[in-house]
Amino acid sequence: MLCKPDLSLILGLIVLVWTTFDLASCQLIRPVYVYEGLIKGIRDFFNNTCIILLHNTPNPIETQGLTESEGLMVLQKYLSMTHHIRTTFMDFHMFSTRVGQTYFHIKRPLFVLLNDYEDTRDGFAHQISTWITMAYPTWLVFFSNGTKFADFFFEIYVPFDCKFMVAQSSANVTDTEIITEVYQVDKRKELRSMQFGIWDVRNGLKGPTRGLFLRRNNLFGQNIRVASVQDPPISIFHRNERNEITGISGFFGQVILLLQEALNCTFTYKEAESWGMCLSSGSCTGAIGMLINNDVDFAATEFMMTSDRLDAISFTTPIYTTKCRAYIKRPATSDLKWDAYTAPFSANIWGSIGFFIVLTSGLIVFIQRLFAFASPYLKNDDRSRFTENVFFVLGAFCSQGMAQSTLDPVRMVHFVIHLSAVVILAAYSAALISFLAVKTFIMPFTTMDGLLKDGTYRFGVVRDSADYSFFKNTSDKIMSVLFDELLMKETDLPSNYLDGLKHVCKEDKYAFMTLDNMAALLQQKVDCKLEPLDVITQTTIAMALQPNSPYRGIINANILLLRDSGILQRLLETQW
């Protein structure tokens, strides 16, 4: 005989199963107030504009139990309504399909993983971390105390510059969370971690006092592949017996040696044929192509920061600014100075001298006639006409004597005239000698428009460089015509600035575009005098890295330290 089932026992089993299912599938593994306080603290520390709560369950508010749904709604309401922070729930599939690569349009987001469940870990590892730029957002994940970092981050690459925080409950103090930041120096290196801060209910978040790259200031011997261009004297390769590059000297060689010491890394070198440019086909040449193709990590040479390059590569913080212009060989002919004898004095000075001659001549005539009126028996020799006095005074300025007068006031005027003539003649003679000694060259033109209109000069730039791209992509009519009529005809453009300036000295009518500081540096290495044309553009010089390079931040931080300490300026002065 079968026993009738106990109704209370069946109901108990149903409640137990439902409770077990609810606990197993819930998203929150901390009390709601812990999520509220910690997420708000991290958001304030990094000044994030919005919060995206990522999970692996579609519509968690609708599919979870009542308690769980209420907790999620309270969390979202606290962040979005109480503190006016844009907050949304989004599962991994929805984020990858609906947002996708447009996540770059979200400014400074904070992505939060509410738990460390296996399905959350797998969804994050296979649906998000494989394609997103991990360093772009700020990350926060909540761990159970038994979860190991190595297990969760297995097959998940956390770049060196990624801000990824892990929160774990303190084993000793209740309502306290220990926040640890994790990262990897390289994709093939071990996961590293350090304590980021502590959060508790009473005091909130206590984060680090130092910046990200002051905390992560060690690459632990990581090998960084460096490309450079043979561009003496600012970047010169050194090779061993097997023709392998062992180092770089010059300005950029000194900079990367300082970076190598500060970063605790090693550099291996490759030579690039040119700085490089991106072609209309989409491929890139030179050092830019090596960066894009992952042949090197870093290009240590002078790169002009241009808009077309910004679309392909990343730049370090600027090293220096300079001006671009064309240089030609100083012409052999000199200008005939037909105004050399009047040039020492300006028109105002010549006018003042003429006024002085007229004034003193009139003063002599006035004195003579005044004394003649007072003394009718005055000798005729003490009387003269105004025109005679003008010639006498002019003769005094030419170092000639004047007829003596018996009148003391006239003698005093003669003394002032002779004294002024001596001073003026001495100043005029010195200025005339300098004007005759200085050789003035006749420039055939001073602008790029004049270069184009002259029609006898050739024009060149460094091949596969930003200079070439500037003329190719310019909207300026003169530069565009100059590119079509002159630059396109050059079949053998120089590979660096030194070769280009040597070409200027070799040919009588050849113009070459270079940087002002490079022309000043290389002037002593060419056998002619270079004459600059008007400035074409001002440019900023930096070094280059791969797009989204994880080492850009730490390199920039150390370049800024070199600048603030004066070392970079000292290198510029000594190496230039």
Side-chain angles (χ1 to χ4, degrees):
M1 181 177 179
L2 296 177
C3 299
K4 294 184 178 179
D6 189 350
L7 183 59
S8 61
L9 178 61
I10 295 175
L11 292 175
L13 290 174
I14 293 174
V15 171
L16 179 62
V17 172
W18 174 257
T19 304
T20 304
F21 173 77
D22 189 27
L23 292 175
S25 60
C26 65
Q27 295 292 324
L28 303 180
I29 59 174
R30 300 281 201 283
V32 175
Y33 64 85
V34 174
Y35 282 98
E36 293 175 344
L38 184 51
I39 293 175
K40 174 67 166 51
I42 293 294
R43 180 264 175 189
D44 292 343
F45 185 89
F46 289 102
N47 194 27
N48 301 112
T49 60
C50 64
I51 299 173
I52 299 178
L53 305 172
L54 293 173
H55 53 86
N56 198 46
T57 304
N59 302 319
I61 295 180
E62 298 178 6
T63 58
Q64 302 301 309
L66 294 177
T67 304
E68 176 73 9
S69 300
E70 182 180 0
L72 294 175
M73 293 181 66
V74 169
L75 175 60
Q76 186 177 19
K77 181 178 179 181
Y78 173 81
L79 295 172
S80 61
M81 299 184 66
T82 304
H83 294 283
H84 307 288
I85 305 171
R86 289 178 295 174
T87 305
T88 183
F89 284 95
M90 194 170 292
D91 64 86
F92 299 132
H93 178 73
M94 178 187 298
F95 180 80
S96 59
T97 55
R98 294 189 181 181
V99 179
Q101 294 296 336
T102 60
Y103 70 90
F104 273 110
H105 297 161
I106 308 173
K107 303 302 181 183
R108 302 192 310 277
L110 171 61
F111 289 176
V112 180
L113 302 181
L114 298 173
N115 55 65
D116 57 354
Y117 294 153
E118 185 176 353
D119 60 343
T120 301
R121 185 260 171 212
D122 291 342
F124 174 64
H126 300 120
Q127 298 186 53
I128 301 296
S129 66
T130 54
W131 59 270
I132 195 173
T133 302
M134 290 287 290
Y136 183 77
T138 304
W139 298 92
L140 173 64
V141 58
F142 287 85
F143 270 21
S144 303
N145 287 345
T147 304
K148 296 181 179 179
F149 289 1
D151 294 338
F152 184 89
F153 290 101
F154 179 70
E155 295 181 341
I156 298 176
Y157 172 47
V158 184
F160 180 78
D161 57 342
C162 181
K163 301 179 288 293
F164 204 117
M165 271 68 63
V166 177
Q168 284 184 308
S169 298
S170 174
N172 302 320
V173 184
T174 58
D175 291 337
T176 300
E177 297 286 325
I178 308 298
I179 302 100
T180 305
E181 57 180 349
V182 297
Y183 67 93
Q184 293 171 261
V185 174
D186 187 71
K187 198 168 187 177
R188 295 169 293 275
K189 296 295 181 67
E190 70 273 17
L191 185 74
R192 295 185 177 273
S193 62
M194 64 178 67
Q195 182 168 313
F196 176 82
I198 298 176
W199 177 90
D200 58 49
V201 176
R202 176 177 297 180
N203 300 313
L205 176 65
K206 291 184 179 180
T209 57
R210 297 189 300 165
L212 178 65
F213 296 109
L214 291 178
R215 305 193 304 272
R216 303 180 193 178
N217 56 2
N218 193 339
L219 293 181
F220 300 97
Q222 171 69 17
N223 176 49
I224 296 180
R225 302 162 298 169
V226 179
S228 189
V229 178
Q230 181 75 5
D231 186 25
I234 64 170
S235 56
I236 305 171
F237 289 111
H238 297 280
R239 302 177 184 270
N240 56 19
E241 296 81 3
R242 297 186 298 273
N243 202 34
E244 297 172 342
I245 301 174
T246 58
I248 304 175
S249 61
F251 171 75
F252 286 99
Q254 293 296 321
V255 170
I256 61 175
L257 284 178
L258 292 172
L259 291 177
Q260 179 175 350
E261 181 179 356
L263 304 180
N264 186 24
C265 63
T266 57
F267 287 151
T268 54
Y269 304 97
K270 291 186 178 182
E271 182 177 3
E273 295 181 355
S274 63
W275 285 267
M277 57 183 293
C278 291
L279 307 176
S280 57
S281 61
S283 61
C284 298
T285 61
I288 295 179
M290 297 173 71
L291 288 170
I292 295 176
N293 297 330
N294 195 28
D295 295 328
V296 294
D297 303 302
F298 185 32
T301 184
E302 71 274 22
F303 270 89
M304 294 184 189
M305 300 179 71
T306 59
S307 57
D308 56 331
R309 284 179 169 178
L310 284 171
D311 295 333
I313 58 176
S314 298
F315 288 102
T316 65
T317 189
I319 304 296
Y320 60 88
T321 59
T322 186
K323 296 176 181 178
C324 289
R325 69 177 89 210
Y327 283 79
I328 62 174
K329 182 165 66 174
R330 176 176 290 181
T333 58
S334 60
D335 191 8
L336 294 177
K337 303 177 182 178
W338 297 106
D339 62 341
Y341 289 92
T342 59
F345 287 163
S346 64
N348 292 334
I349 296 178
W350 285 119
S352 300
I353 295 173
F355 176 76
F356 179 80
I357 294 173
V358 173
L359 178 64
T360 53
S361 301
L363 184 60
I364 293 172
V365 173
F366 174 76
I367 294 172
Q368 289 175 346
R369 292 188 178 182
L370 180 64
F371 274 84
F373 177 77
S375 178
Y377 302 102
L378 186 67
K379 296 180 181 181
N380 291 332
D381 293 343
D382 287 333
R383 298 178 185 180
S384 59
R385 293 177 298 177
F386 174 77
T387 53
E388 291 178 344
N389 282 309
V390 170
F391 282 107
F392 285 145
V393 176
L394 185 60
F397 276 87
C398 297
S399 300
Q400 302 297 316
M402 298 179 66
Q404 294 185 359
S405 175
T406 58
L407 299 176
D408 290 340
V410 175
R411 289 180 177 180
M412 292 298 296
V413 175
H414 286 179
F415 175 76
V416 173
I417 292 172
H418 281 284
L419 183 61
S420 301
V422 169
V423 174
I424 293 174
L425 184 62
Y428 175 78
S429 300
L432 179 62
I433 291 173
S434 65
F435 266 79
L436 294 176
V438 175
K439 191 175 182 181
T440 303
F441 294 90
I442 305 174
M443 291 290 290
F445 44 80
T446 59
T447 64
M448 299 304 289
D449 187 24
L451 170 66
L452 185 62
K453 291 179 180 178
D454 181 272
T456 61
Y457 272 73
R458 295 168 56 198
F459 177 64
V461 298
V462 175
R463 69 169 180 262
D464 289 344
S465 66
D467 302 338
Y468 189 89
S469 298
F470 170 78
F471 285 95
K472 182 179 180 181
N473 302 322
T474 183
S475 58
D476 186 276
K477 289 185 178 180
I478 295 175
M479 302 300 176
S480 180
V481 173
L482 192 145
F483 176 80
D484 294 334
E485 296 187 2
L486 295 181
L487 200 54
M488 284 289 289
K489 296 179 181 178
E490 297 295 322
T491 58
D492 187 20
L493 290 172
S495 59
N496 55 52
Y497 291 120
L498 179 58
D499 291 344
L501 294 179
K502 285 182 177 179
H503 206 163
V504 171
C505 294
K506 184 179 179 181
E507 295 191 21
D508 289 333
K509 293 191 175 184
Y510 186 84
F512 181 75
M513 179 175 168
T514 183
L515 309 177
D516 276 359
N517 55 350
M518 290 298 297
L521 176 66
L522 298 173
Q523 173 65 83
Q524 58 186 341
K525 296 185 176 296
V526 295
D527 54 3
C528 71
K529 292 294 183 181
L530 303 172
E531 289 293 329
L533 303 184
D534 291 347
V535 175
I536 298 176
T537 182
Q538 183 150 346
T539 186
T540 302
I541 303 299
M543 294 183 285
L545 301 117
Q546 288 185 5
N548 302 316
S549 171
Y551 309 119
R552 180 187 178 191
I554 191 172
I555 290 175
N556 284 344
N558 281 272
I559 290 176
L560 291 175
L561 288 175
L562 292 176
R563 178 184 298 171
D564 294 342
S565 62
I567 296 176
L568 190 60
Q569 183 62 32
R570 177 62 177 169
L571 285 177
L572 285 169
E573 293 174 357
T574 56
Q575 295 297 324
W576 286 137

